[in-house]
Amino acid sequence: MSTVLERPLDVVADFPAIPAGWAYLDTAATAQKPKPVIDAIARGYGETYATVHRGVYARSADMTIAYEAARRRVAAFLGAASADEIVFVRGATEGINLVAQCWAATQLKAGDRILLSQLEHHANIVPWQMAAQRVGAAIDVCPLTADGRIDLDAAEAMLTPAHKLVSLAHVSNVLGSILDVHRAVEIAHRVGAKILIDGCQAVPRLPVDVTALNCDFYVFSGHKLYGPTGIGVLWGRAELLDRMPPWQGGGAMIDRVSFERTTYAAPPARFEAGTPHIVGALGLHAAIDYVDAIGLSRIHAHEAALVANAREALRGINSVRLLGPDDSAGIVSFAVGGVHPHDVGTILDEAHVAIRAGHHCAQPLMAALGVEATARASFGVYNGPQDIEALVDGVRRVTRIFG
Ligand code: PLP
């Protein structure tokens, strides 16, 4: 292998669920959890547990402080202007659905258009289809460049004043291609459209600053950032969140309730009806501390080296077709000629290599690539050269078995 991992991270010992000899290459689906996150969750339930925002006793007040500290930590991590711009949701899927319902409810009307791209995850397609159907808006699909990036020249040519919203993935969950968010924001704003960035695959591997990016909404899932499942983040500009109606009614999202008239709390509480995922927020806080202590620039460099090594080694196997650009962020999708990706995944599993095989919740992208499914190896902080070797040896074995 020619690309050397100059400063390998060597943090696998922090991850108790990764046994020696197991190459976990499915971080794009969900990341393994480091000990500090597991400890924060155990402490949250085992030592400090109580409800938030309601209790008059000290334990509940302390938990409220911890829960709101997690919100401030997320705000700092994303470069948000204020913690009030951070809405805790179940994950990116819920964050996008929230915007597609609440923002679209007042801002989208018949004849308006939404621009998505060919590589979006279903979570960034279906909510917009539902929103568009409700009001009679239309969806346009930006094509990709030959190497699998969202074609922003094409997007620029497609955008018109009828476009009210653009929603794009910061990093593709299949191809790993990285969006030039600055340019995407610039061309969306030029026609007066708002822009949502799906940061699910970006936040675990690239530094993100929503203020510098100048986008309007940004979403991500905690579990892909080494945090717990069931907690995610919607960041929205304060003036946009302020104008959005709530989507779920219940406790915590109200100002005053009577049978005659109910008034709503200000954001973010307006969008957090019911008892929240309290311990999930504490786990997410610990995950952000963990990732920040390593440094996202270092993580990105580490994963870029792993990607370069993996692509170079896989390129040396005749029947392998690599998908996506060479500078993909932490994700390598590939096809082995004449072999179904599920068979690739099964044979690799026998060799203790865990990859994802399937359509990756991106069926329109599969159609554009002319495949039903792909094999996907995705990396995290715990991966090293030995995992690439196991992957490449396993793929060679696949080619031998299938002749
Ligand atoms: N967007 C992208 C790019 C993803 O990779 C994923 C998950 O794979 C999602 C959205 C949905 O995330 P979740 O299922 O955590 O809500």
Side-chain angles (χ1 to χ4, degrees):
M1 289 182 196
S2 65
T3 308
V4 178
L5 292 180
E6 282 170 12
R7 292 164 62 211
L9 290 181
D10 200 19
V11 294
V12 69
D14 293 345
F15 292 83
I18 304 182
W22 189 51
Y24 182 70
L25 299 178
D26 199 17
T27 297
T30 196
Q32 295 292 333
K33 313 307 169 201
K35 195 76 174 38
V37 169
I38 298 167
D39 290 347
I41 295 168
R43 249 193 332 274
Y45 283 124
E47 293 174 32
T48 63
Y49 191 68
T51 194
V52 293
H53 297 152
R54 292 168 176 81
V56 290
Y57 47 94
R59 173 77 76 84
S60 173
D62 288 348
M63 195 52 128
T64 302
I65 289 168
Y67 181 74
E68 292 304 326
R71 195 189 305 278
R72 285 196 302 280
R73 186 69 182 91
V74 173
F77 179 67
L78 283 183
S82 151
D84 289 344
E85 295 183 328
I86 302 298
V87 181
F88 283 129
V89 287
R90 277 192 300 139
T93 301
E94 190 169 82
I96 297 171
N97 274 279
L98 197 166
V99 179
Q101 286 190 36
C102 304
W103 177 85
T106 54
Q107 303 300 316
L108 208 61
K109 57 183 190 324
D112 285 346
R113 307 191 78 85
I114 296 169
L115 183 74
L116 308 177
S117 90
Q118 189 78 50
L119 61 64
E120 299 309 318
H121 188 283
H122 296 164
N124 198 23
I125 299 174
V126 184
W128 302 116
Q129 289 174 325
M130 292 160 67
Q133 275 161 16
R134 272 195 297 274
V135 299
I139 290 177
D140 295 308
V141 183
C142 177
L144 308 182
T145 60
D147 64 351
R149 300 171 204 274
I150 297 173
D151 186 344
L152 291 179
D153 289 339
E156 188 170 7
M158 292 170 83
L159 282 167
T160 68
H163 287 93
K164 294 297 180 298
L165 188 102
V166 176
S167 192
L168 301 173
H170 194 166
V171 169
S172 159
N173 65 311
V174 179
L175 303 173
S177 37
I178 304 172
L179 177 71
D180 177 349
V181 178
H182 286 285
R183 177 154 183 235
V185 167
E186 204 255 310
I187 62 178
H189 285 173
R190 203 185 302 154
V191 296
K194 301 292 179 230
I195 180 163
L196 181 148
I197 301 295
D198 171 359
C200 247
Q201 300 296 346
V203 156
R205 34 185 71 92
L206 298 174
V208 171
D209 181 328
V210 291
T211 302
L213 292 174
N214 198 29
C215 53
D216 299 298
F217 298 102
Y218 198 98
V219 297
F220 73 89
S221 295
H223 70 99
K224 295 185 198 274
L225 183 67
Y226 307 96
T229 51
I231 184 99
V233 169
L234 161 66
W235 167 81
R237 268 180 203 291
E239 68 266 27
L240 296 177
L241 293 178
D242 275 344
R243 291 202 299 266
M244 282 160 50
W247 71 326
Q248 293 172 344
M253 52 74 72
I254 53 89
D255 171 28
R256 291 204 67 80
V257 178
S258 72
F259 280 109
E260 290 68 42
R261 181 165 177 266
T262 291
T263 51
Y264 305 123
R270 185 187 300 164
F271 304 107
E272 294 181 4
T275 305
H277 188 3
I278 303 164
V279 175
L282 307 189
L284 179 60
H285 189 156
I288 292 175
D289 285 348
Y290 181 82
V291 162
D292 255 1
I294 297 175
L296 273 155
S297 301
R298 250 183 103 202
I299 294 174
H300 181 51
H302 173 79
E303 293 190 9
L306 291 172
V307 164
N309 282 347
R311 288 182 74 92
E312 184 187 320
L314 289 172
R315 198 174 270 127
I317 304 174
N318 272 340
S319 51
V320 170
R321 174 186 163 208
L322 285 169
L323 304 162
D326 280 332
D327 64 350
S328 69
I331 296 172
V332 177
S333 265
F334 59 97
V336 183
V339 188
H340 194 280
H342 285 160
D343 292 329
V344 177
T346 304
I347 293 168
L348 285 172
D349 187 39
E350 286 165 11
H352 310 294
V353 178
I355 63 153
R356 173 88 177 262
H359 56 61
H360 315 291
C361 298
Q363 288 178 350
L365 174 57
M366 296 298 112
L369 295 171
V371 295
E372 288 262 312
T374 77
R376 180 188 72 184
S378 55
F379 306 115
V381 291
Y382 29 67
N383 293 122
Q386 72 288 353
D387 298 319
I388 310 292
E389 272 161 37
L391 170 72
V392 173
D393 287 350
V395 173
R396 285 211 185 90
R397 182 153 172 265
V398 171
T399 62
R400 280 197 303 277
I401 289 172
F402 283 86

